[in-house]
Amino acid sequence: MIELLPWSSDDLWAVERFLSDPEMMKHLGGPQSREQVVDQHARYLNTAASGTGQMFKIVLSPASDAIGNIGYWDKTWREELVYETGWMVLPEHQGRGYASAALRLLVEWLRNDHVHRFLHAFPAVTNGPSNALCRGAGFTNLGEFEFEYPVGHPLRCNDWRLDLSVQQRASSP
Ligand SMILES: CC(C)(COP(=O)(O)OP(=O)(O)OC[C@H]1O[C@@H](n2cnc3c(N)ncnc32)[C@H](O)[C@@H]1OP(=O)(O)O)[C@@H](O)C(=O)NCCC(=O)NCCS
C-alpha cells in the first residue's frame, strides 16, 4: 500500500536519484546536473511554501523513504489557470501499479479541494507508461503539441486533461 507524504528537506537524495538517472530521464531531456537537481529540490519545496501546489513523495507504508514522487502546481495554459501534474517512480519499483495508485490518491485529494477546474499532464508522446497512466485515470487526450523541456530540448507532448468538477470512473486496470 502506498501513501503520499509532503516533500521535505530530507528528500534531496531522492530527487538526485530521479534526475541523474539516464533511464528515468529519457523522456525528459536526459539526466540533469547536480546544480539542476538542487534547484529542482528547492522548487519542489517552494511549491508548497508559495501555496501554488504541492509535491509529494510516494512511500510504501509504513516506511517513509521515497520510492517516487507526484505533485500538482499552478500553470497558465492556453490563457487559463489550471493545475499541472507530473510523477516519477524509481526503476526498481516500476511496473507494480504504484504510479497509478499515487495518481488516484492525488486526483481524489484534488477533487475534494481545488480552486482550478482542470488538471493537465503533458507526457512526451513516446512515454508509454505515462500516457497509459493518464488514460487509466480518466484523463482525456486533447492532442499533441511541441514543447521545450528542459530549455533547449524540443519535446513532442500530449495534452491530457481531467475535469476535477466531474466525478469520473477511472477505467479498470
Ligand atoms: C511513468 C512512471 C512513473 C510509471 O510508474 P509505474 O509505477 O511503473 O506505473 P504503473 O505500474 O502504475 O503503470 C502505469 C501504466 O503504464 C503501463 N506501462 C508500463 N510500461 C509500459 C510501456 N513500456 N509502454 C506502455 N505502457 C506501459 C502499465 O501497464 C500501466 O498501465 P495500465 O494501468 O493501463 O496497465 C515510471 O515509468 C517513471 O518514473 N518513468 C520515468 C519518469 C517519467 O517519465 N515521468 C513522467 C513525466 S510526465
mmCIF file of all heavy atoms in Angstrom, residues 23-28 69 85-91 93-101 121-124 127-133 135-136 171-173, ligand 1:
data_model
loop_
_atom_site.group_PDB
_atom_site.id
_atom_site.type_symbol
_atom_site.label_atom_id
_atom_site.label_comp_id
_atom_site.label_asym_id
_atom_site.label_seq_id
_atom_site.Cartn_x
_atom_site.Cartn_y
_atom_site.Cartn_z
ATOM 1 N N GLU A 23 17.927 6.574 -17.571
ATOM 2 C CA GLU A 23 16.728 5.817 -17.944
ATOM 3 C C GLU A 23 15.471 6.577 -17.493
ATOM 4 O O GLU A 23 14.516 6.736 -18.252
ATOM 5 C CB GLU A 23 16.816 4.426 -17.288
ATOM 6 C CG GLU A 23 15.716 3.442 -17.666
ATOM 7 C CD GLU A 23 15.603 3.182 -19.175
ATOM 8 O OE1 GLU A 23 16.619 3.321 -19.892
ATOM 9 O OE2 GLU A 23 14.480 2.859 -19.636
ATOM 10 N N MET A 24 15.500 7.078 -16.256
ATOM 11 C CA MET A 24 14.352 7.833 -15.724
ATOM 12 C C MET A 24 14.095 9.092 -16.540
ATOM 13 O O MET A 24 12.963 9.548 -16.667
ATOM 14 C CB MET A 24 14.630 8.294 -14.278
ATOM 15 C CG MET A 24 14.748 7.208 -13.257
ATOM 16 S SD MET A 24 13.149 6.618 -12.737
ATOM 17 C CE MET A 24 12.557 7.959 -11.748
ATOM 18 N N MET A 25 15.181 9.673 -17.072
ATOM 19 C CA MET A 25 15.086 10.980 -17.712
ATOM 20 C C MET A 25 15.026 10.895 -19.237
ATOM 21 O O MET A 25 15.154 11.902 -19.920
ATOM 22 C CB MET A 25 16.270 11.853 -17.269
ATOM 23 C CG MET A 25 16.292 12.151 -15.781
ATOM 24 S SD MET A 25 14.807 13.013 -15.226
ATOM 25 C CE MET A 25 15.084 14.628 -15.939
ATOM 26 N N LYS A 26 14.812 9.665 -19.757
ATOM 27 C CA LYS A 26 14.919 9.529 -21.216
ATOM 28 C C LYS A 26 13.802 10.261 -21.957
ATOM 29 O O LYS A 26 13.973 10.633 -23.107
ATOM 30 C CB LYS A 26 15.028 8.061 -21.624
ATOM 31 C CG LYS A 26 13.764 7.267 -21.563
ATOM 32 C CD LYS A 26 14.014 5.847 -22.060
ATOM 33 C CE LYS A 26 12.770 5.017 -21.803
ATOM 34 N NZ LYS A 26 12.973 3.602 -21.889
ATOM 35 N N HIS A 27 12.657 10.483 -21.293
ATOM 36 C CA HIS A 27 11.580 11.247 -21.938
ATOM 37 C C HIS A 27 11.565 12.695 -21.461
ATOM 38 O O HIS A 27 10.628 13.438 -21.736
ATOM 39 C CB HIS A 27 10.208 10.624 -21.625
ATOM 40 C CG HIS A 27 10.075 9.209 -22.111
ATOM 41 N ND1 HIS A 27 10.077 8.880 -23.446
ATOM 42 C CD2 HIS A 27 9.941 8.042 -21.448
ATOM 43 C CE1 HIS A 27 9.947 7.569 -23.583
ATOM 44 N NE2 HIS A 27 9.870 7.041 -22.385
ATOM 45 N N LEU A 28 12.570 13.071 -20.677
ATOM 46 C CA LEU A 28 12.553 14.390 -20.025
ATOM 47 C C LEU A 28 13.836 15.171 -20.292
ATOM 48 O O LEU A 28 14.305 15.921 -19.446
ATOM 49 C CB LEU A 28 12.343 14.207 -18.507
ATOM 50 C CG LEU A 28 11.027 13.542 -18.096
ATOM 51 C CD1 LEU A 28 11.062 13.112 -16.644
ATOM 52 C CD2 LEU A 28 9.848 14.482 -18.323
ATOM 53 N N ASN A 69 7.756 10.200 -6.730
ATOM 54 C CA ASN A 69 7.093 11.452 -6.363
ATOM 55 C C ASN A 69 5.943 11.750 -7.320
ATOM 56 O O ASN A 69 5.846 11.179 -8.408
ATOM 57 C CB ASN A 69 8.079 12.622 -6.266
ATOM 58 C CG ASN A 69 8.630 13.064 -7.600
ATOM 59 O OD1 ASN A 69 8.134 12.679 -8.654
ATOM 60 N ND2 ASN A 69 9.672 13.870 -7.582
ATOM 61 N N THR A 85 0.251 18.251 -13.421
ATOM 62 C CA THR A 85 0.796 17.193 -12.568
ATOM 63 C C THR A 85 1.941 16.480 -13.268
ATOM 64 O O THR A 85 2.067 16.538 -14.501
ATOM 65 C CB THR A 85 -0.299 16.179 -12.143
ATOM 66 O OG1 THR A 85 0.288 15.155 -11.325
ATOM 67 C CG2 THR A 85 -0.973 15.520 -13.335
ATOM 68 N N GLY A 86 2.794 15.828 -12.493
ATOM 69 C CA GLY A 86 3.906 15.045 -13.028
ATOM 70 C C GLY A 86 4.316 14.019 -11.982
ATOM 71 O O GLY A 86 3.947 14.156 -10.805
ATOM 72 N N TRP A 87 5.077 12.986 -12.377
ATOM 73 C CA TRP A 87 5.363 11.868 -11.473
ATOM 74 C C TRP A 87 6.637 11.157 -11.867
ATOM 75 O O TRP A 87 7.107 11.246 -13.006
ATOM 76 C CB TRP A 87 4.194 10.880 -11.535
ATOM 77 C CG TRP A 87 3.715 10.692 -12.955
ATOM 78 C CD1 TRP A 87 4.373 10.049 -13.963
ATOM 79 C CD2 TRP A 87 2.508 11.205 -13.523
ATOM 80 N NE1 TRP A 87 3.634 10.118 -15.120
ATOM 81 C CE2 TRP A 87 2.477 10.823 -14.884
ATOM 82 C CE3 TRP A 87 1.437 11.945 -13.015
ATOM 83 C CZ2 TRP A 87 1.441 11.156 -15.743
ATOM 84 C CZ3 TRP A 87 0.397 12.280 -13.879
ATOM 85 C CH2 TRP A 87 0.404 11.880 -15.212
ATOM 86 N N MET A 88 7.172 10.418 -10.917
ATOM 87 C CA MET A 88 8.325 9.543 -11.158
ATOM 88 C C MET A 88 8.265 8.396 -10.165
ATOM 89 O O MET A 88 7.866 8.616 -9.017
ATOM 90 C CB MET A 88 9.638 10.291 -10.904
ATOM 91 C CG MET A 88 9.936 11.328 -11.934
ATOM 92 S SD MET A 88 11.604 11.947 -11.748
ATOM 93 C CE MET A 88 11.707 12.883 -13.249
ATOM 94 N N VAL A 89 8.680 7.214 -10.599
ATOM 95 C CA VAL A 89 8.823 6.067 -9.691
ATOM 96 C C VAL A 89 10.190 5.450 -9.983
ATOM 97 O O VAL A 89 10.558 5.267 -11.155
ATOM 98 C CB VAL A 89 7.673 5.039 -9.896
ATOM 99 C CG1 VAL A 89 7.984 3.725 -9.193
ATOM 100 C CG2 VAL A 89 6.342 5.603 -9.385
ATOM 101 N N LEU A 90 10.951 5.165 -8.924
ATOM 102 C CA LEU A 90 12.294 4.601 -9.110
ATOM 103 C C LEU A 90 12.224 3.277 -9.867
ATOM 104 O O LEU A 90 11.284 2.493 -9.658
ATOM 105 C CB LEU A 90 12.961 4.383 -7.739
ATOM 106 C CG LEU A 90 13.359 5.667 -7.008
ATOM 107 C CD1 LEU A 90 13.783 5.351 -5.562
ATOM 108 C CD2 LEU A 90 14.491 6.386 -7.735
ATOM 109 N N PRO A 91 13.221 3.024 -10.736
ATOM 110 C CA PRO A 91 13.173 1.847 -11.623
ATOM 111 C C PRO A 91 12.855 0.541 -10.914
ATOM 112 O O PRO A 91 12.079 -0.269 -11.404
ATOM 113 C CB PRO A 91 14.577 1.809 -12.229
ATOM 114 C CG PRO A 91 15.057 3.222 -12.153
ATOM 115 C CD PRO A 91 14.417 3.845 -10.952
ATOM 116 N N HIS A 93 11.024 -0.063 -8.532
ATOM 117 C CA HIS A 93 9.631 -0.144 -8.047
ATOM 118 C C HIS A 93 8.606 0.006 -9.171
ATOM 119 O O HIS A 93 7.403 0.053 -8.926
ATOM 120 C CB HIS A 93 9.383 0.941 -6.994
ATOM 121 C CG HIS A 93 10.181 0.740 -5.743
ATOM 122 N ND1 HIS A 93 9.894 -0.251 -4.825
ATOM 123 C CD2 HIS A 93 11.275 1.379 -5.277
ATOM 124 C CE1 HIS A 93 10.765 -0.205 -3.843
ATOM 125 N NE2 HIS A 93 11.618 0.777 -4.087
ATOM 126 N N GLN A 94 9.096 0.123 -10.404
ATOM 127 C CA GLN A 94 8.157 0.349 -11.519
ATOM 128 C C GLN A 94 7.405 -0.932 -11.887
ATOM 129 O O GLN A 94 7.839 -2.034 -11.566
ATOM 130 C CB GLN A 94 8.922 0.877 -12.743
ATOM 131 C CG GLN A 94 9.401 2.302 -12.555
ATOM 132 C CD GLN A 94 10.204 2.837 -13.735
ATOM 133 O OE1 GLN A 94 10.270 2.205 -14.781
ATOM 134 N NE2 GLN A 94 10.816 3.993 -13.553
ATOM 135 N N GLY A 95 6.288 -0.731 -12.577
ATOM 136 C CA GLY A 95 5.531 -1.870 -13.118
ATOM 137 C C GLY A 95 4.676 -2.583 -12.086
ATOM 138 O O GLY A 95 4.198 -3.690 -12.318
ATOM 139 N N ARG A 96 4.480 -1.955 -10.922
ATOM 140 C CA ARG A 96 3.673 -2.600 -9.867
ATOM 141 C C ARG A 96 2.425 -1.798 -9.532
ATOM 142 O O ARG A 96 1.798 -2.005 -8.502
ATOM 143 C CB ARG A 96 4.502 -2.756 -8.595
ATOM 144 C CG ARG A 96 5.673 -3.679 -8.807
ATOM 145 C CD ARG A 96 6.504 -3.796 -7.558
ATOM 146 N NE ARG A 96 7.773 -4.414 -7.903
ATOM 147 C CZ ARG A 96 8.845 -4.395 -7.140
ATOM 148 N NH1 ARG A 96 8.810 -3.792 -5.973
ATOM 149 N NH2 ARG A 96 9.956 -4.964 -7.527
ATOM 150 N N GLY A 97 2.115 -0.824 -10.375
ATOM 151 C CA GLY A 97 0.885 -0.058 -10.159
ATOM 152 C C GLY A 97 1.027 1.090 -9.178
ATOM 153 O O GLY A 97 0.037 1.730 -8.817
ATOM 154 N N TYR A 98 2.273 1.387 -8.718
ATOM 155 C CA TYR A 98 2.421 2.436 -7.699
ATOM 156 C C TYR A 98 2.102 3.826 -8.249
ATOM 157 O O TYR A 98 1.473 4.641 -7.567
ATOM 158 C CB TYR A 98 3.831 2.423 -7.106
ATOM 159 C CG TYR A 98 4.143 1.176 -6.308
ATOM 160 C CD1 TYR A 98 5.422 0.624 -6.305
ATOM 161 C CD2 TYR A 98 3.157 0.546 -5.546
ATOM 162 C CE1 TYR A 98 5.720 -0.521 -5.572
ATOM 163 C CE2 TYR A 98 3.452 -0.605 -4.814
ATOM 164 C CZ TYR A 98 4.731 -1.129 -4.836
ATOM 165 O OH TYR A 98 5.011 -2.260 -4.110
ATOM 166 N N ALA A 99 2.534 4.116 -9.484
ATOM 167 C CA ALA A 99 2.238 5.445 -10.043
ATOM 168 C C ALA A 99 0.728 5.592 -10.252
ATOM 169 O O ALA A 99 0.155 6.646 -9.972
ATOM 170 C CB ALA A 99 2.990 5.644 -11.359
ATOM 171 N N SER A 100 0.067 4.531 -10.723
ATOM 172 C CA SER A 100 -1.398 4.596 -10.914
ATOM 173 C C SER A 100 -2.086 4.856 -9.582
ATOM 174 O O SER A 100 -3.005 5.683 -9.499
ATOM 175 C CB SER A 100 -1.932 3.283 -11.491
ATOM 176 O OG SER A 100 -1.231 2.945 -12.650
ATOM 177 N N ALA A 101 -1.642 4.157 -8.530
ATOM 178 C CA ALA A 101 -2.257 4.342 -7.209
ATOM 179 C C ALA A 101 -2.002 5.764 -6.700
ATOM 180 O O ALA A 101 -2.899 6.400 -6.127
ATOM 181 C CB ALA A 101 -1.691 3.314 -6.231
ATOM 182 N N ALA A 121 -1.771 16.934 -17.680
ATOM 183 C CA ALA A 121 -0.470 16.249 -17.674
ATOM 184 C C ALA A 121 0.053 16.302 -19.102
ATOM 185 O O ALA A 121 -0.734 16.209 -20.053
ATOM 186 C CB ALA A 121 -0.619 14.813 -17.205
ATOM 187 N N PHE A 122 1.374 16.467 -19.222
ATOM 188 C CA PHE A 122 1.964 16.678 -20.555
ATOM 189 C C PHE A 122 3.101 15.682 -20.830
ATOM 190 O O PHE A 122 4.247 16.092 -21.074
ATOM 191 C CB PHE A 122 2.500 18.114 -20.653
ATOM 192 C CG PHE A 122 1.469 19.182 -20.378
ATOM 193 C CD1 PHE A 122 1.545 19.965 -19.231
ATOM 194 C CD2 PHE A 122 0.431 19.412 -21.270
ATOM 195 C CE1 PHE A 122 0.610 20.969 -18.970
ATOM 196 C CE2 PHE A 122 -0.514 20.412 -21.020
ATOM 197 C CZ PHE A 122 -0.426 21.185 -19.869
ATOM 198 N N PRO A 123 2.827 14.378 -20.801
ATOM 199 C CA PRO A 123 3.912 13.431 -21.090
ATOM 200 C C PRO A 123 4.342 13.473 -22.548
ATOM 201 O O PRO A 123 3.517 13.758 -23.436
ATOM 202 C CB PRO A 123 3.288 12.070 -20.756
ATOM 203 C CG PRO A 123 1.825 12.271 -20.862
ATOM 204 C CD PRO A 123 1.547 13.707 -20.535
ATOM 205 N N ALA A 124 5.624 13.167 -22.790
ATOM 206 C CA ALA A 124 6.101 13.046 -24.169
ATOM 207 C C ALA A 124 5.282 11.965 -24.874
ATOM 208 O O ALA A 124 4.874 10.980 -24.243
ATOM 209 C CB ALA A 124 7.576 12.663 -24.161
ATOM 210 N N ASN A 127 6.334 8.469 -24.265
ATOM 211 C CA ASN A 127 6.368 7.974 -22.883
ATOM 212 C C ASN A 127 5.176 7.035 -22.636
ATOM 213 O O ASN A 127 4.136 7.438 -22.107
ATOM 214 C CB ASN A 127 6.358 9.172 -21.918
ATOM 215 C CG ASN A 127 6.661 8.768 -20.484
ATOM 216 O OD1 ASN A 127 6.474 7.609 -20.105
ATOM 217 N ND2 ASN A 127 7.124 9.712 -19.683
ATOM 218 N N GLY A 128 5.334 5.773 -23.045
ATOM 219 C CA GLY A 128 4.244 4.782 -22.960
ATOM 220 C C GLY A 128 3.603 4.695 -21.588
ATOM 221 O O GLY A 128 2.377 4.842 -21.462
ATOM 222 N N PRO A 129 4.393 4.464 -20.510
ATOM 223 C CA PRO A 129 3.785 4.306 -19.187
ATOM 224 C C PRO A 129 3.011 5.550 -18.739
ATOM 225 O O PRO A 129 1.921 5.439 -18.183
ATOM 226 C CB PRO A 129 4.985 4.055 -18.266
ATOM 227 C CG PRO A 129 6.066 3.564 -19.159
ATOM 228 C CD PRO A 129 5.843 4.178 -20.499
ATOM 229 N N SER A 130 3.564 6.750 -18.986
ATOM 230 C CA SER A 130 2.875 7.964 -18.517
ATOM 231 C C SER A 130 1.585 8.209 -19.293
ATOM 232 O O SER A 130 0.578 8.648 -18.715
ATOM 233 C CB SER A 130 3.788 9.190 -18.642
ATOM 234 O OG SER A 130 4.745 9.157 -17.623
ATOM 235 N N ASN A 131 1.591 7.923 -20.579
ATOM 236 C CA ASN A 131 0.354 8.086 -21.358
ATOM 237 C C ASN A 131 -0.691 7.061 -20.904
ATOM 238 O O ASN A 131 -1.877 7.387 -20.785
ATOM 239 C CB ASN A 131 0.653 7.987 -22.860
ATOM 240 C CG ASN A 131 1.309 9.253 -23.390
ATOM 241 O OD1 ASN A 131 0.690 10.318 -23.421
ATOM 242 N ND2 ASN A 131 2.576 9.166 -23.764
ATOM 243 N N ALA A 132 -0.228 5.826 -20.594
ATOM 244 C CA ALA A 132 -1.154 4.784 -20.094
ATOM 245 C C ALA A 132 -1.749 5.213 -18.752
ATOM 246 O O ALA A 132 -2.931 4.988 -18.475
ATOM 247 C CB ALA A 132 -0.427 3.460 -19.959
ATOM 248 N N LEU A 133 -0.906 5.846 -17.949
ATOM 249 C CA LEU A 133 -1.330 6.318 -16.621
ATOM 250 C C LEU A 133 -2.479 7.324 -16.746
ATOM 251 O O LEU A 133 -3.483 7.259 -16.032
ATOM 252 C CB LEU A 133 -0.121 7.007 -15.999
ATOM 253 C CG LEU A 133 0.126 6.930 -14.522
ATOM 254 C CD1 LEU A 133 0.218 5.490 -14.082
ATOM 255 C CD2 LEU A 133 1.453 7.634 -14.205
ATOM 256 N N ARG A 135 -4.509 7.783 -19.317
ATOM 257 C CA ARG A 135 -5.691 7.119 -19.888
ATOM 258 C C ARG A 135 -6.432 6.364 -18.781
ATOM 259 O O ARG A 135 -7.639 6.496 -18.626
ATOM 260 C CB ARG A 135 -5.237 6.159 -20.996
ATOM 261 C CG ARG A 135 -6.319 5.733 -21.942
ATOM 262 C CD ARG A 135 -5.759 4.928 -23.120
ATOM 263 N NE ARG A 135 -4.819 5.684 -23.942
ATOM 264 C CZ ARG A 135 -3.510 5.449 -24.033
ATOM 265 N NH1 ARG A 135 -2.961 4.450 -23.363
ATOM 266 N NH2 ARG A 135 -2.732 6.188 -24.794
ATOM 267 N N GLY A 136 -5.666 5.618 -17.976
ATOM 268 C CA GLY A 136 -6.256 4.793 -16.921
ATOM 269 C C GLY A 136 -6.946 5.619 -15.848
ATOM 270 O O GLY A 136 -7.889 5.151 -15.204
ATOM 271 N N SER A 171 -10.854 3.919 -15.751
ATOM 272 C CA SER A 171 -11.015 2.609 -16.382
ATOM 273 C C SER A 171 -10.340 1.552 -15.521
ATOM 274 O O SER A 171 -9.365 1.822 -14.828
ATOM 275 C CB SER A 171 -10.426 2.617 -17.782
ATOM 276 O OG SER A 171 -9.049 2.798 -17.704
ATOM 277 N N SER A 172 -10.858 0.336 -15.557
ATOM 278 C CA SER A 172 -10.287 -0.711 -14.714
ATOM 279 C C SER A 172 -8.892 -1.085 -15.216
ATOM 280 O O SER A 172 -8.609 -0.969 -16.401
ATOM 281 C CB SER A 172 -11.193 -1.926 -14.705
ATOM 282 O OG SER A 172 -11.583 -2.194 -16.010
ATOM 283 N N PRO A 173 -8.001 -1.524 -14.294
ATOM 284 C CA PRO A 173 -6.611 -1.792 -14.671
ATOM 285 C C PRO A 173 -6.476 -2.957 -15.656
ATOM 286 O O PRO A 173 -7.331 -3.772 -15.739
ATOM 287 C CB PRO A 173 -5.926 -2.134 -13.342
ATOM 288 C CG PRO A 173 -6.978 -2.294 -12.321
ATOM 289 C CD PRO A 173 -8.271 -1.780 -12.887
HETATM 290 C C1 LIG B 1 5.870 6.845 -15.664
HETATM 291 C C2 LIG B 1 6.202 6.057 -14.410
HETATM 292 C C3 LIG B 1 6.052 6.976 -13.177
HETATM 293 C C4 LIG B 1 5.233 4.878 -14.256
HETATM 294 O O1 LIG B 1 5.442 4.280 -12.980
HETATM 295 P P1 LIG B 1 4.915 2.808 -12.596
HETATM 296 O O2 LIG B 1 4.751 2.732 -11.118
HETATM 297 O O3 LIG B 1 5.808 1.798 -13.248
HETATM 298 O O4 LIG B 1 3.488 2.797 -13.309
HETATM 299 P P2 LIG B 1 2.341 1.727 -13.131
HETATM 300 O O5 LIG B 1 2.918 0.399 -12.679
HETATM 301 O O6 LIG B 1 1.276 2.336 -12.274
HETATM 302 O O7 LIG B 1 1.860 1.544 -14.636
HETATM 303 C C5 LIG B 1 1.300 2.611 -15.339
HETATM 304 C C6 LIG B 1 0.771 2.140 -16.661
HETATM 305 O O8 LIG B 1 1.857 2.069 -17.610
HETATM 306 C C7 LIG B 1 1.739 0.885 -18.377
HETATM 307 N N1 LIG B 1 3.059 0.602 -18.914
HETATM 308 C C8 LIG B 1 4.162 0.204 -18.262
HETATM 309 N N2 LIG B 1 5.212 0.132 -19.107
HETATM 310 C C9 LIG B 1 4.743 0.499 -20.343
HETATM 311 C C10 LIG B 1 5.334 0.657 -21.627
HETATM 312 N N3 LIG B 1 6.628 0.440 -21.815
HETATM 313 N N4 LIG B 1 4.551 1.092 -22.631
HETATM 314 C C11 LIG B 1 3.243 1.339 -22.464
HETATM 315 N N5 LIG B 1 2.621 1.234 -21.257
HETATM 316 C C12 LIG B 1 3.372 0.807 -20.217
HETATM 317 C C13 LIG B 1 1.217 -0.105 -17.350
HETATM 318 O O9 LIG B 1 0.663 -1.244 -17.985
HETATM 319 C C14 LIG B 1 0.154 0.739 -16.669
HETATM 320 O O10 LIG B 1 -0.996 0.853 -17.467
HETATM 321 P P3 LIG B 1 -2.333 0.049 -17.108
HETATM 322 O O11 LIG B 1 -2.699 0.505 -15.724
HETATM 323 O O12 LIG B 1 -3.294 0.515 -18.151
HETATM 324 O O13 LIG B 1 -1.948 -1.379 -17.180
HETATM 325 C C15 LIG B 1 7.663 5.498 -14.464
HETATM 326 O O14 LIG B 1 7.787 4.759 -15.652
HETATM 327 C C16 LIG B 1 8.721 6.599 -14.443
HETATM 328 O O15 LIG B 1 9.102 7.063 -13.377
HETATM 329 N N6 LIG B 1 9.241 6.982 -15.599
HETATM 330 C C17 LIG B 1 10.330 7.962 -15.669
HETATM 331 C C18 LIG B 1 9.907 9.366 -15.304
HETATM 332 C C19 LIG B 1 8.857 9.924 -16.237
HETATM 333 O O16 LIG B 1 8.926 9.725 -17.431
HETATM 334 N N7 LIG B 1 7.907 10.650 -15.642
HETATM 335 C C20 LIG B 1 6.801 11.208 -16.379
HETATM 336 C C21 LIG B 1 6.838 12.668 -16.554
HETATM 337 S S1 LIG B 1 5.313 13.203 -17.306
#
